[in-house]
Amino acid sequence: MSRTPPARIASLYRYPVKGLSPEPLPHVALRIGETFPADRRYAIENGPSGFDPAAPKWMVKAYFLMLMRDEWLAALHSHFDDASNVLTIRRNGAIAAQGNLETAEGRAAIERFFAESHAGAIKGPPRVLSSKGHSFSDVARKVVSIINLGSLRAIENIVGQPVHPLRFRANLYVEGWPAWHEFDLLDRTLAIGDIRLKVVKRITRCAAINVDPDTAARDLEIPQALMRRLGHNECGIYAEVIEGGTIAVGDAIAAEQPTLL
């Protein structure tokens, strides 16, 4: 098996509310079997979903506001404060809504904003959803999503124009791997200092990555272009945390060699 070239963490992000803004992180503490802290901790229900906070189960993203369908979300800039649990949503630079997502009053303020400002774009009364320890991820397993910036540059060559990395809404962006090298890492373990991440799955891309995070325009057809050129619409990998600790931007990433029996 070929040796994995040197690589490093280029950036780290979390997404406290599914479909809303990414938040850059200088470092993050990871726990075994968990996502990034507060990643997809909340979702905005788009019509009745049947989600039960007392018995949370993974649900497909169609039940929630999401960029695959609701590209107008990209025009909103949000920030979640861990200490106060307050979500602030800005539109055109001004505060459009603000509320403590752990109180009924705060959730109602956020719900009212979506109900009044985007009534024609949603299917039913919006509702802020959460449940302790639950993540509204696109997959049922609790994982970290990883994008290889080398693969992103290959996609830019395919579509013939720049592609913003945040279209892919990953937790961890890697610099230093050749294009598509991440696919060779399936079932292998990534070492970042004392942290260990087990690569478990390729990421199949949907229409969400066609939305420009700066302009909120649906201006590309990346999955279709990948299918035409490469025969698949995958980019990125999911990994499970199997040994915890803290990682930071700039940390080196190495793939451990498989054990030979």
Side-chain angles (χ1 to χ4, degrees):
M1 184 175 293
S2 61
R3 183 176 181 273
T4 300
R8 64 176 182 85
I9 298 174
S11 53
L12 298 166
Y13 290 89
R14 70 172 188 174
Y15 305 78
V17 181
K18 187 176 186 68
L20 295 187
S21 299
E23 296 185 358
L25 302 169
H27 50 77
V28 62
L30 299 179
R31 295 172 56 195
I32 295 173
E34 296 295 332
T35 64
F36 271 32
D39 192 56
R40 278 82 172 184
R41 175 176 168 181
Y42 302 95
I44 310 296
E45 185 181 56
N46 189 9
S49 69
F51 181 80
D52 181 1
K57 295 181 180 179
W58 179 82
M59 304 181 74
V60 296
K61 58 188 174 184
Y63 287 109
F64 316 117
L65 293 180
M66 50 150 185
L67 285 172
M68 186 176 83
R69 178 189 55 228
D70 310 307
E71 66 270 15
W72 49 270
L73 289 170
L76 305 175
H77 298 277
S78 61
H79 174 73
F80 179 75
D81 181 71
D82 291 298
S84 64
N85 296 312
V86 169
L87 176 70
T88 301
I89 299 177
R90 288 181 168 83
R91 185 171 53 191
N92 298 324
I95 294 179
Q98 192 170 56
N100 181 338
L101 298 188
E102 293 300 308
T103 68
E105 181 182 11
R107 292 191 297 272
I110 300 301
E111 294 162 355
R112 188 163 54 249
F113 163 72
F114 284 104
E116 295 176 354
S117 301
H118 301 281
I122 58 179
K123 296 188 293 185
R127 187 164 66 105
V128 176
L129 301 178
S130 68
S131 181
K132 184 175 177 59
H134 184 73
S135 175
F136 293 91
S137 172
D138 285 351
V139 293
R141 301 168 80 165
K142 289 191 174 182
V143 291
V144 171
S145 58
I146 301 172
I147 284 289
N148 172 10
L149 292 174
S151 299
L152 180 64
R153 286 188 282 272
I155 291 175
E156 291 179 326
N157 290 331
I158 290 172
V159 300
Q161 63 186 82
V163 174
H164 199 306
L166 291 183
R167 286 179 185 259
F168 295 87
R169 297 179 68 80
N171 297 126
L172 194 158
Y173 289 83
V174 177
E175 186 64 86
W177 289 339
W180 313 116
H181 177 73
E182 65 273 26
F183 292 163
D184 295 333
L185 301 175
L186 191 64
D187 297 324
R188 294 182 64 187
T189 299
L190 302 178
I192 310 171
D194 294 331
I195 310 304
R196 296 297 181 270
L197 304 174
K198 178 69 176 296
V199 180
V200 296
K201 192 178 186 298
R202 296 185 182 192
I203 303 177
T204 300
R205 309 314 313 202
C206 68
I209 63 174
N210 293 334
V211 179
D212 187 310
D214 288 334
T215 67
R218 193 179 296 277
D219 58 357
L220 291 176
E221 294 186 344
I222 297 174
Q224 298 92 323
L226 291 176
M227 286 296 299
R228 287 193 299 268
R229 181 70 66 87
L230 304 177
H232 66 74
N233 59 345
E234 297 169 330
C235 180
I237 49 178
Y238 289 122
E240 292 181 335
V241 181
I242 59 174
E243 292 186 27
T246 299
I247 61 175
V249 172
D251 281 355
I253 304 174
E256 294 184 338
Q257 294 298 321
T259 302
L260 298 178
L261 300 179

